[in-house]
Amino acid sequence: MYSKELLKGTLNIIILKLLAHNGKMYGYEITQRVKVLSQDKIQIKEGSLYPSLHKLKDEGLVKTEEEMIGNRVRKYYSLTEKGKLSTKEKDNELQQYMGTLQNIILNQSPAS
Amino acid sequence: MTLTQFLVDLIKGDLRQNGIELRDLQDDLVDHICCILESENQNERPFEEVYQAAKSDYFSEGFREIQEETTTLITQKYNNMKKAMNIIGLSSSVLLLLGSILKTMGTAPANELILFGAIGLTLGYLPLLLKIALKQTDLFIGKFRSISGFIGAELFIIGILLQVLHYYAGKEILYTGLAIVIMIFIPLLIKSTGTEFIAKLQPASLAVLLLAVASTFFAFSNKKASSHYLGQLVMVHENLDRTVDNNLHRLTALREDHEITPISVKTQDIISYVDKLKEHILNSIDAEDSSHSLTPEIVLMDNIFISDIMVHNQKNHPYNGQELLQKLTELITLIEDNGDLSSESILGTETQDSWLTENFQNKTLYSAYSRLTQLQLDLSTLELEFLNQ
């Protein structure tokens, strides 16, 4: 399990990438999908997921559509056009950041 | 297993009771909890047991935290507005408090500070606070709570303003605002946030609240001091009136021992005329009040002037300043013919026209009324001197 701090900075891009790959997803589905893909190493807490989803919706990056499941409402989240562009940008940024991080960590020689 | 409508409603009710007021978030969490419970698929265990276990496993920090985190993230873009709101709120409250303190000390510019403070709170801080509060709830009861708090606080501050500035409806408006806050807003706030509602208030909001309470305290202590002061003014006039009565009593006895002179006739005529003039003035303020005497309420009327009765002599005033002046002038002529008396105490050394203007133009009701009583005292004293010669 990764620390909360590591997850905090990457939660939005995880959500956006999942939606980009899967089209539309509901909250519980996102948590389960992340669990499977990360082999239980990342567990998104409900207390972090929904505030982030609502923030993304407020920013116009994701939209929702409602569906009745039995006797309750299920909200499916999917990317808006703005969200798709933003996902690409954030993805590039993250790739570059991971590359930079890798350079720093791998090329760091021990102090002599 | 699919949960029944009854169980879904139970979960919804629990979420609402635990502070989830955003409808979208509520739908998300209901579905999420239902998914968890359905995936557990433990038909043999009671629902309540499974539900409580799911709550402690998945929502260990409580539902309220999720609502708060969501509203914090959503209202992040209003951070500048929040900062502006807090600055306006704090500075306005400080102005209100300072103004109230200065008011109790009778020092300028108390009214201006109170006015600016009240304007800042009613037109700046509270509308911004309402706008942000409405963003944090979708529930009717939540919106009703915010709007009731807004209206209550607005009325409360306007009430303080009117009360401190001695306007009539101040007390009623202040109490109405206070009643709305105490009877509607605070119970709804406690219901939604639990007993920790004070801890949930932003430091700036708490400071504004404390300053408003302090201002109210000063407003009330000022009102008490003002009442005392007004009572003293009424007493001063009563003493003046009593002295006039004593003089008239002594004059009645003296007149019996003397021949009736034109000065005595004229003096008595003017004193009676002033009595009727004073009665007419009080009637023009409140025709239903039959007490015909000064009260603290009348002393308070610092924006009611009687220039039209005393200076301009309008036709619809049976008793008026111009006629009084004419009578006084006639008396002065009699006194001057007598030679042994000085008429200076009656009109002073001013010209006749300026006497009316200086004593009654734009003067408060109390001032003008007291001046007339003083005139009665001067006239009765003059006649006493005359008869005692």
Side-chain angles (χ1 to χ4, degrees), chain B residues 61-93:
Chain B
E61 288 174 5
F63 295 131
R64 201 183 302 282
E65 295 298 321
I66 302 178
Q67 159 93 18
E68 282 173 8
E69 180 66 13
T70 306
T71 53
T72 304
L73 287 178
I74 289 176
T75 57
Q76 244 174 7
K77 63 184 172 190
Y78 298 110
N79 275 351
N80 284 339
M81 191 202 279
K82 281 186 201 169
K83 278 181 197 163
M85 178 187 88
N86 288 337
I87 291 170
I88 293 171
L90 283 172
S91 48
S92 303
S93 304

PDB file of all heavy atoms in Angstrom, chain B residues 61-93:
ATOM      1  N   GLU B  61     -14.012   7.991   8.994  1.00  0.00           N
ATOM      2  CA  GLU B  61     -13.904   9.404   9.422  1.00  0.00           C
ATOM      3  C   GLU B  61     -15.246  10.117   9.418  1.00  0.00           C
ATOM      4  O   GLU B  61     -15.323  11.316   9.703  1.00  0.00           O
ATOM      5  CB  GLU B  61     -12.910  10.144   8.510  1.00  0.00           C
ATOM      6  CG  GLU B  61     -11.482   9.689   8.794  1.00  0.00           C
ATOM      7  CD  GLU B  61     -10.474  10.277   7.837  1.00  0.00           C
ATOM      8  OE1 GLU B  61     -10.865  11.110   7.004  1.00  0.00           O
ATOM      9  OE2 GLU B  61      -9.308   9.900   7.935  1.00  0.00           O
ATOM     10  N   GLY B  62     -16.300   9.378   9.084  1.00  0.00           N
ATOM     11  CA  GLY B  62     -17.646   9.954   9.133  1.00  0.00           C
ATOM     12  C   GLY B  62     -18.054  10.590   7.811  1.00  0.00           C
ATOM     13  O   GLY B  62     -17.199  10.991   7.016  1.00  0.00           O
ATOM     14  N   PHE B  63     -19.348  10.654   7.583  1.00  0.00           N
ATOM     15  CA  PHE B  63     -19.868  11.222   6.332  1.00  0.00           C
ATOM     16  C   PHE B  63     -19.630  12.724   6.254  1.00  0.00           C
ATOM     17  O   PHE B  63     -19.403  13.291   5.205  1.00  0.00           O
ATOM     18  CB  PHE B  63     -21.377  10.967   6.213  1.00  0.00           C
ATOM     19  CG  PHE B  63     -21.721   9.498   6.087  1.00  0.00           C
ATOM     20  CD1 PHE B  63     -22.701   8.931   6.879  1.00  0.00           C
ATOM     21  CD2 PHE B  63     -21.070   8.699   5.161  1.00  0.00           C
ATOM     22  CE1 PHE B  63     -23.035   7.592   6.762  1.00  0.00           C
ATOM     23  CE2 PHE B  63     -21.397   7.352   5.027  1.00  0.00           C
ATOM     24  CZ  PHE B  63     -22.377   6.798   5.841  1.00  0.00           C
ATOM     25  N   ARG B  64     -19.715  13.376   7.411  1.00  0.00           N
ATOM     26  CA  ARG B  64     -19.622  14.836   7.438  1.00  0.00           C
ATOM     27  C   ARG B  64     -18.305  15.331   6.843  1.00  0.00           C
ATOM     28  O   ARG B  64     -18.247  16.358   6.184  1.00  0.00           O
ATOM     29  CB  ARG B  64     -19.767  15.333   8.885  1.00  0.00           C
ATOM     30  CG  ARG B  64     -20.181  16.787   8.993  1.00  0.00           C
ATOM     31  CD  ARG B  64     -20.234  17.242  10.437  1.00  0.00           C
ATOM     32  NE  ARG B  64     -21.148  16.442  11.240  1.00  0.00           N
ATOM     33  CZ  ARG B  64     -22.466  16.586  11.226  1.00  0.00           C
ATOM     34  NH1 ARG B  64     -23.005  17.487  10.462  1.00  0.00           N
ATOM     35  NH2 ARG B  64     -23.235  15.840  11.980  1.00  0.00           N
ATOM     36  N   GLU B  65     -17.234  14.546   7.104  1.00  0.00           N
ATOM     37  CA  GLU B  65     -15.916  14.930   6.579  1.00  0.00           C
ATOM     38  C   GLU B  65     -15.940  14.976   5.049  1.00  0.00           C
ATOM     39  O   GLU B  65     -15.299  15.820   4.431  1.00  0.00           O
ATOM     40  CB  GLU B  65     -14.838  13.936   7.052  1.00  0.00           C
ATOM     41  CG  GLU B  65     -14.616  13.926   8.554  1.00  0.00           C
ATOM     42  CD  GLU B  65     -14.124  15.265   9.073  1.00  0.00           C
ATOM     43  OE1 GLU B  65     -13.305  15.897   8.398  1.00  0.00           O
ATOM     44  OE2 GLU B  65     -14.589  15.689  10.155  1.00  0.00           O
ATOM     45  N   ILE B  66     -16.687  14.030   4.448  1.00  0.00           N
ATOM     46  CA  ILE B  66     -16.740  13.975   2.976  1.00  0.00           C
ATOM     47  C   ILE B  66     -17.449  15.228   2.447  1.00  0.00           C
ATOM     48  O   ILE B  66     -17.013  15.853   1.483  1.00  0.00           O
ATOM     49  CB  ILE B  66     -17.480  12.695   2.499  1.00  0.00           C
ATOM     50  CG1 ILE B  66     -16.776  11.455   3.060  1.00  0.00           C
ATOM     51  CG2 ILE B  66     -17.542  12.632   0.981  1.00  0.00           C
ATOM     52  CD1 ILE B  66     -17.438  10.144   2.705  1.00  0.00           C
ATOM     53  N   GLN B  67     -18.548  15.584   3.105  1.00  0.00           N
ATOM     54  CA  GLN B  67     -19.282  16.789   2.697  1.00  0.00           C
ATOM     55  C   GLN B  67     -18.388  18.022   2.830  1.00  0.00           C
ATOM     56  O   GLN B  67     -18.319  18.870   1.945  1.00  0.00           O
ATOM     57  CB  GLN B  67     -20.538  16.935   3.578  1.00  0.00           C
ATOM     58  CG  GLN B  67     -21.135  18.324   3.649  1.00  0.00           C
ATOM     59  CD  GLN B  67     -22.231  18.577   2.627  1.00  0.00           C
ATOM     60  OE1 GLN B  67     -22.803  17.660   2.059  1.00  0.00           O
ATOM     61  NE2 GLN B  67     -22.519  19.841   2.388  1.00  0.00           N
ATOM     62  N   GLU B  68     -17.679  18.090   3.964  1.00  0.00           N
ATOM     63  CA  GLU B  68     -16.836  19.273   4.198  1.00  0.00           C
ATOM     64  C   GLU B  68     -15.690  19.353   3.209  1.00  0.00           C
ATOM     65  O   GLU B  68     -15.370  20.422   2.696  1.00  0.00           O
ATOM     66  CB  GLU B  68     -16.324  19.273   5.642  1.00  0.00           C
ATOM     67  CG  GLU B  68     -17.402  19.735   6.605  1.00  0.00           C
ATOM     68  CD  GLU B  68     -17.027  19.592   8.058  1.00  0.00           C
ATOM     69  OE1 GLU B  68     -15.859  19.275   8.343  1.00  0.00           O
ATOM     70  OE2 GLU B  68     -17.918  19.768   8.903  1.00  0.00           O
ATOM     71  N   GLU B  69     -15.071  18.208   2.935  1.00  0.00           N
ATOM     72  CA  GLU B  69     -13.960  18.177   1.971  1.00  0.00           C
ATOM     73  C   GLU B  69     -14.469  18.577   0.581  1.00  0.00           C
ATOM     74  O   GLU B  69     -13.817  19.341  -0.141  1.00  0.00           O
ATOM     75  CB  GLU B  69     -13.371  16.759   1.950  1.00  0.00           C
ATOM     76  CG  GLU B  69     -12.197  16.546   1.007  1.00  0.00           C
ATOM     77  CD  GLU B  69     -10.947  17.323   1.393  1.00  0.00           C
ATOM     78  OE1 GLU B  69     -10.897  17.836   2.516  1.00  0.00           O
ATOM     79  OE2 GLU B  69     -10.042  17.446   0.534  1.00  0.00           O
ATOM     80  N   THR B  70     -15.663  18.088   0.233  1.00  0.00           N
ATOM     81  CA  THR B  70     -16.232  18.411  -1.085  1.00  0.00           C
ATOM     82  C   THR B  70     -16.515  19.904  -1.199  1.00  0.00           C
ATOM     83  O   THR B  70     -16.136  20.545  -2.183  1.00  0.00           O
ATOM     84  CB  THR B  70     -17.541  17.615  -1.309  1.00  0.00           C
ATOM     85  OG1 THR B  70     -17.269  16.231  -1.097  1.00  0.00           O
ATOM     86  CG2 THR B  70     -18.081  17.810  -2.709  1.00  0.00           C
ATOM     87  N   THR B  71     -17.167  20.461  -0.192  1.00  0.00           N
ATOM     88  CA  THR B  71     -17.497  21.899  -0.271  1.00  0.00           C
ATOM     89  C   THR B  71     -16.231  22.753  -0.229  1.00  0.00           C
ATOM     90  O   THR B  71     -16.152  23.785  -0.882  1.00  0.00           O
ATOM     91  CB  THR B  71     -18.458  22.334   0.857  1.00  0.00           C
ATOM     92  OG1 THR B  71     -17.905  21.937   2.090  1.00  0.00           O
ATOM     93  CG2 THR B  71     -19.828  21.726   0.702  1.00  0.00           C
ATOM     94  N   THR B  72     -15.224  22.285   0.521  1.00  0.00           N
ATOM     95  CA  THR B  72     -13.955  23.035   0.557  1.00  0.00           C
ATOM     96  C   THR B  72     -13.340  23.082  -0.833  1.00  0.00           C
ATOM     97  O   THR B  72     -12.902  24.145  -1.303  1.00  0.00           O
ATOM     98  CB  THR B  72     -12.959  22.382   1.544  1.00  0.00           C
ATOM     99  OG1 THR B  72     -13.594  22.294   2.812  1.00  0.00           O
ATOM    100  CG2 THR B  72     -11.674  23.178   1.658  1.00  0.00           C
ATOM    101  N   LEU B  73     -13.310  21.918  -1.518  1.00  0.00           N
ATOM    102  CA  LEU B  73     -12.715  21.879  -2.856  1.00  0.00           C
ATOM    103  C   LEU B  73     -13.530  22.702  -3.858  1.00  0.00           C
ATOM    104  O   LEU B  73     -12.987  23.423  -4.682  1.00  0.00           O
ATOM    105  CB  LEU B  73     -12.614  20.422  -3.341  1.00  0.00           C
ATOM    106  CG  LEU B  73     -11.531  19.553  -2.670  1.00  0.00           C
ATOM    107  CD1 LEU B  73     -11.577  18.131  -3.199  1.00  0.00           C
ATOM    108  CD2 LEU B  73     -10.145  20.137  -2.907  1.00  0.00           C
ATOM    109  N   ILE B  74     -14.872  22.568  -3.750  1.00  0.00           N
ATOM    110  CA  ILE B  74     -15.732  23.273  -4.713  1.00  0.00           C
ATOM    111  C   ILE B  74     -15.659  24.789  -4.519  1.00  0.00           C
ATOM    112  O   ILE B  74     -15.687  25.549  -5.483  1.00  0.00           O
ATOM    113  CB  ILE B  74     -17.197  22.776  -4.595  1.00  0.00           C
ATOM    114  CG1 ILE B  74     -17.281  21.349  -5.154  1.00  0.00           C
ATOM    115  CG2 ILE B  74     -18.162  23.680  -5.351  1.00  0.00           C
ATOM    116  CD1 ILE B  74     -18.635  20.707  -5.001  1.00  0.00           C
ATOM    117  N   THR B  75     -15.557  25.214  -3.263  1.00  0.00           N
ATOM    118  CA  THR B  75     -15.554  26.671  -3.014  1.00  0.00           C
ATOM    119  C   THR B  75     -14.137  27.257  -3.004  1.00  0.00           C
ATOM    120  O   THR B  75     -13.971  28.417  -2.667  1.00  0.00           O
ATOM    121  CB  THR B  75     -16.262  27.023  -1.688  1.00  0.00           C
ATOM    122  OG1 THR B  75     -15.616  26.307  -0.634  1.00  0.00           O
ATOM    123  CG2 THR B  75     -17.728  26.682  -1.711  1.00  0.00           C
ATOM    124  N   GLN B  76     -13.153  26.430  -3.407  1.00  0.00           N
ATOM    125  CA  GLN B  76     -11.774  26.941  -3.456  1.00  0.00           C
ATOM    126  C   GLN B  76     -11.659  28.171  -4.350  1.00  0.00           C
ATOM    127  O   GLN B  76     -10.936  29.108  -4.054  1.00  0.00           O
ATOM    128  CB  GLN B  76     -10.853  25.859  -4.004  1.00  0.00           C
ATOM    129  CG  GLN B  76      -9.825  25.394  -2.992  1.00  0.00           C
ATOM    130  CD  GLN B  76      -9.016  24.222  -3.495  1.00  0.00           C
ATOM    131  OE1 GLN B  76      -9.144  23.837  -4.650  1.00  0.00           O
ATOM    132  NE2 GLN B  76      -8.205  23.663  -2.629  1.00  0.00           N
ATOM    133  N   LYS B  77     -12.416  28.135  -5.469  1.00  0.00           N
ATOM    134  CA  LYS B  77     -12.328  29.262  -6.400  1.00  0.00           C
ATOM    135  C   LYS B  77     -12.918  30.544  -5.820  1.00  0.00           C
ATOM    136  O   LYS B  77     -12.750  31.619  -6.370  1.00  0.00           O
ATOM    137  CB  LYS B  77     -12.993  28.914  -7.727  1.00  0.00           C
ATOM    138  CG  LYS B  77     -14.472  28.623  -7.645  1.00  0.00           C
ATOM    139  CD  LYS B  77     -15.005  28.195  -8.987  1.00  0.00           C
ATOM    140  CE  LYS B  77     -16.443  27.720  -8.876  1.00  0.00           C
ATOM    141  NZ  LYS B  77     -16.923  27.086 -10.082  1.00  0.00           N
ATOM    142  N   TYR B  78     -13.648  30.395  -4.704  1.00  0.00           N
ATOM    143  CA  TYR B  78     -14.209  31.592  -4.053  1.00  0.00           C
ATOM    144  C   TYR B  78     -13.297  32.087  -2.933  1.00  0.00           C
ATOM    145  O   TYR B  78     -13.719  32.886  -2.107  1.00  0.00           O
ATOM    146  CB  TYR B  78     -15.594  31.293  -3.484  1.00  0.00           C
ATOM    147  CG  TYR B  78     -16.587  30.902  -4.534  1.00  0.00           C
ATOM    148  CD1 TYR B  78     -17.067  29.600  -4.610  1.00  0.00           C
ATOM    149  CD2 TYR B  78     -17.047  31.818  -5.467  1.00  0.00           C
ATOM    150  CE1 TYR B  78     -17.970  29.220  -5.585  1.00  0.00           C
ATOM    151  CE2 TYR B  78     -17.949  31.456  -6.451  1.00  0.00           C
ATOM    152  CZ  TYR B  78     -18.399  30.152  -6.499  1.00  0.00           C
ATOM    153  OH  TYR B  78     -19.294  29.787  -7.468  1.00  0.00           O
ATOM    154  N   ASN B  79     -12.062  31.577  -2.909  1.00  0.00           N
ATOM    155  CA  ASN B  79     -11.185  31.951  -1.798  1.00  0.00           C
ATOM    156  C   ASN B  79     -10.951  33.453  -1.700  1.00  0.00           C
ATOM    157  O   ASN B  79     -10.926  34.007  -0.606  1.00  0.00           O
ATOM    158  CB  ASN B  79      -9.835  31.226  -1.923  1.00  0.00           C
ATOM    159  CG  ASN B  79      -9.921  29.842  -1.305  1.00  0.00           C
ATOM    160  OD1 ASN B  79     -10.921  29.516  -0.662  1.00  0.00           O
ATOM    161  ND2 ASN B  79      -8.918  29.030  -1.507  1.00  0.00           N
ATOM    162  N   ASN B  80     -10.803  34.110  -2.873  1.00  0.00           N
ATOM    163  CA  ASN B  80     -10.603  35.560  -2.844  1.00  0.00           C
ATOM    164  C   ASN B  80     -11.839  36.259  -2.281  1.00  0.00           C
ATOM    165  O   ASN B  80     -11.744  37.216  -1.518  1.00  0.00           O
ATOM    166  CB  ASN B  80     -10.315  36.090  -4.251  1.00  0.00           C
ATOM    167  CG  ASN B  80      -8.893  35.760  -4.656  1.00  0.00           C
ATOM    168  OD1 ASN B  80      -8.039  35.511  -3.801  1.00  0.00           O
ATOM    169  ND2 ASN B  80      -8.639  35.731  -5.953  1.00  0.00           N
ATOM    170  N   MET B  81     -13.008  35.706  -2.717  1.00  0.00           N
ATOM    171  CA  MET B  81     -14.262  36.281  -2.210  1.00  0.00           C
ATOM    172  C   MET B  81     -14.354  36.097  -0.687  1.00  0.00           C
ATOM    173  O   MET B  81     -14.757  36.991   0.041  1.00  0.00           O
ATOM    174  CB  MET B  81     -15.456  35.586  -2.875  1.00  0.00           C
ATOM    175  CG  MET B  81     -16.778  36.266  -2.632  1.00  0.00           C
ATOM    176  SD  MET B  81     -18.153  35.155  -2.847  1.00  0.00           S
ATOM    177  CE  MET B  81     -18.329  35.179  -4.589  1.00  0.00           C
ATOM    178  N   LYS B  82     -13.915  34.904  -0.233  1.00  0.00           N
ATOM    179  CA  LYS B  82     -13.951  34.632   1.211  1.00  0.00           C
ATOM    180  C   LYS B  82     -13.037  35.589   1.965  1.00  0.00           C
ATOM    181  O   LYS B  82     -13.402  36.094   3.032  1.00  0.00           O
ATOM    182  CB  LYS B  82     -13.504  33.196   1.479  1.00  0.00           C
ATOM    183  CG  LYS B  82     -14.559  32.150   1.227  1.00  0.00           C
ATOM    184  CD  LYS B  82     -14.018  30.802   1.684  1.00  0.00           C
ATOM    185  CE  LYS B  82     -14.754  29.666   1.028  1.00  0.00           C
ATOM    186  NZ  LYS B  82     -14.088  28.377   1.237  1.00  0.00           N
ATOM    187  N   LYS B  83     -11.840  35.822   1.371  1.00  0.00           N
ATOM    188  CA  LYS B  83     -10.897  36.742   2.033  1.00  0.00           C
ATOM    189  C   LYS B  83     -11.509  38.141   2.121  1.00  0.00           C
ATOM    190  O   LYS B  83     -11.488  38.784   3.177  1.00  0.00           O
ATOM    191  CB  LYS B  83      -9.585  36.804   1.243  1.00  0.00           C
ATOM    192  CG  LYS B  83      -8.645  35.656   1.565  1.00  0.00           C
ATOM    193  CD  LYS B  83      -7.359  35.803   0.766  1.00  0.00           C
ATOM    194  CE  LYS B  83      -6.604  34.474   0.744  1.00  0.00           C
ATOM    195  NZ  LYS B  83      -5.601  34.427  -0.308  1.00  0.00           N
ATOM    196  N   ALA B  84     -12.073  38.597   0.976  1.00  0.00           N
ATOM    197  CA  ALA B  84     -12.696  39.931   0.949  1.00  0.00           C
ATOM    198  C   ALA B  84     -13.826  39.990   1.972  1.00  0.00           C
ATOM    199  O   ALA B  84     -13.964  40.966   2.719  1.00  0.00           O
ATOM    200  CB  ALA B  84     -13.227  40.229  -0.449  1.00  0.00           C
ATOM    201  N   MET B  85     -14.611  38.903   2.006  1.00  0.00           N
ATOM    202  CA  MET B  85     -15.758  38.845   2.929  1.00  0.00           C
ATOM    203  C   MET B  85     -15.277  38.964   4.386  1.00  0.00           C
ATOM    204  O   MET B  85     -15.841  39.728   5.168  1.00  0.00           O
ATOM    205  CB  MET B  85     -16.468  37.510   2.714  1.00  0.00           C
ATOM    206  CG  MET B  85     -17.631  37.262   3.612  1.00  0.00           C
ATOM    207  SD  MET B  85     -18.230  35.574   3.371  1.00  0.00           S
ATOM    208  CE  MET B  85     -17.208  34.707   4.539  1.00  0.00           C
ATOM    209  N   ASN B  86     -14.215  38.225   4.712  1.00  0.00           N
ATOM    210  CA  ASN B  86     -13.720  38.257   6.088  1.00  0.00           C
ATOM    211  C   ASN B  86     -13.148  39.627   6.448  1.00  0.00           C
ATOM    212  O   ASN B  86     -13.354  40.112   7.564  1.00  0.00           O
ATOM    213  CB  ASN B  86     -12.665  37.170   6.293  1.00  0.00           C
ATOM    214  CG  ASN B  86     -13.287  35.795   6.327  1.00  0.00           C
ATOM    215  OD1 ASN B  86     -14.475  35.659   6.626  1.00  0.00           O
ATOM    216  ND2 ASN B  86     -12.533  34.782   5.998  1.00  0.00           N
ATOM    217  N   ILE B  87     -12.461  40.250   5.488  1.00  0.00           N
ATOM    218  CA  ILE B  87     -11.893  41.587   5.764  1.00  0.00           C
ATOM    219  C   ILE B  87     -13.033  42.587   5.992  1.00  0.00           C
ATOM    220  O   ILE B  87     -13.024  43.359   6.955  1.00  0.00           O
ATOM    221  CB  ILE B  87     -10.974  42.049   4.602  1.00  0.00           C
ATOM    222  CG1 ILE B  87      -9.713  41.184   4.589  1.00  0.00           C
ATOM    223  CG2 ILE B  87     -10.603  43.516   4.738  1.00  0.00           C
ATOM    224  CD1 ILE B  87      -8.840  41.353   3.366  1.00  0.00           C
ATOM    225  N   ILE B  88     -14.044  42.528   5.098  1.00  0.00           N
ATOM    226  CA  ILE B  88     -15.190  43.444   5.241  1.00  0.00           C
ATOM    227  C   ILE B  88     -15.893  43.191   6.575  1.00  0.00           C
ATOM    228  O   ILE B  88     -16.216  44.114   7.320  1.00  0.00           O
ATOM    229  CB  ILE B  88     -16.192  43.262   4.074  1.00  0.00           C
ATOM    230  CG1 ILE B  88     -15.569  43.709   2.757  1.00  0.00           C
ATOM    231  CG2 ILE B  88     -17.489  44.031   4.333  1.00  0.00           C
ATOM    232  CD1 ILE B  88     -16.396  43.361   1.523  1.00  0.00           C
ATOM    233  N   GLY B  89     -16.096  41.902   6.889  1.00  0.00           N
ATOM    234  CA  GLY B  89     -16.811  41.540   8.120  1.00  0.00           C
ATOM    235  C   GLY B  89     -16.094  42.028   9.354  1.00  0.00           C
ATOM    236  O   GLY B  89     -16.691  42.644  10.235  1.00  0.00           O
ATOM    237  N   LEU B  90     -14.780  41.773   9.400  1.00  0.00           N
ATOM    238  CA  LEU B  90     -14.013  42.153  10.585  1.00  0.00           C
ATOM    239  C   LEU B  90     -13.928  43.669  10.732  1.00  0.00           C
ATOM    240  O   LEU B  90     -14.158  44.208  11.817  1.00  0.00           O
ATOM    241  CB  LEU B  90     -12.602  41.561  10.518  1.00  0.00           C
ATOM    242  CG  LEU B  90     -12.508  40.074  10.864  1.00  0.00           C
ATOM    243  CD1 LEU B  90     -11.106  39.549  10.587  1.00  0.00           C
ATOM    244  CD2 LEU B  90     -12.869  39.838  12.315  1.00  0.00           C
ATOM    245  N   SER B  91     -13.603  44.361   9.615  1.00  0.00           N
ATOM    246  CA  SER B  91     -13.448  45.822   9.731  1.00  0.00           C
ATOM    247  C   SER B  91     -14.785  46.484  10.052  1.00  0.00           C
ATOM    248  O   SER B  91     -14.847  47.422  10.855  1.00  0.00           O
ATOM    249  CB  SER B  91     -12.819  46.418   8.474  1.00  0.00           C
ATOM    250  OG  SER B  91     -13.456  45.932   7.338  1.00  0.00           O
ATOM    251  N   SER B  92     -15.873  45.970   9.456  1.00  0.00           N
ATOM    252  CA  SER B  92     -17.192  46.553   9.740  1.00  0.00           C
ATOM    253  C   SER B  92     -17.577  46.344  11.202  1.00  0.00           C
ATOM    254  O   SER B  92     -18.134  47.238  11.850  1.00  0.00           O
ATOM    255  CB  SER B  92     -18.267  45.915   8.854  1.00  0.00           C
ATOM    256  OG  SER B  92     -17.939  46.068   7.511  1.00  0.00           O
ATOM    257  N   SER B  93     -17.275  45.140  11.720  1.00  0.00           N
ATOM    258  CA  SER B  93     -17.623  44.857  13.118  1.00  0.00           C
ATOM    259  C   SER B  93     -16.826  45.738  14.062  1.00  0.00           C
ATOM    260  O   SER B  93     -17.345  46.222  15.073  1.00  0.00           O
ATOM    261  CB  SER B  93     -17.339  43.395  13.449  1.00  0.00           C
ATOM    262  OG  SER B  93     -18.025  42.570  12.574  1.00  0.00           O
TER     263      SER B  93
END
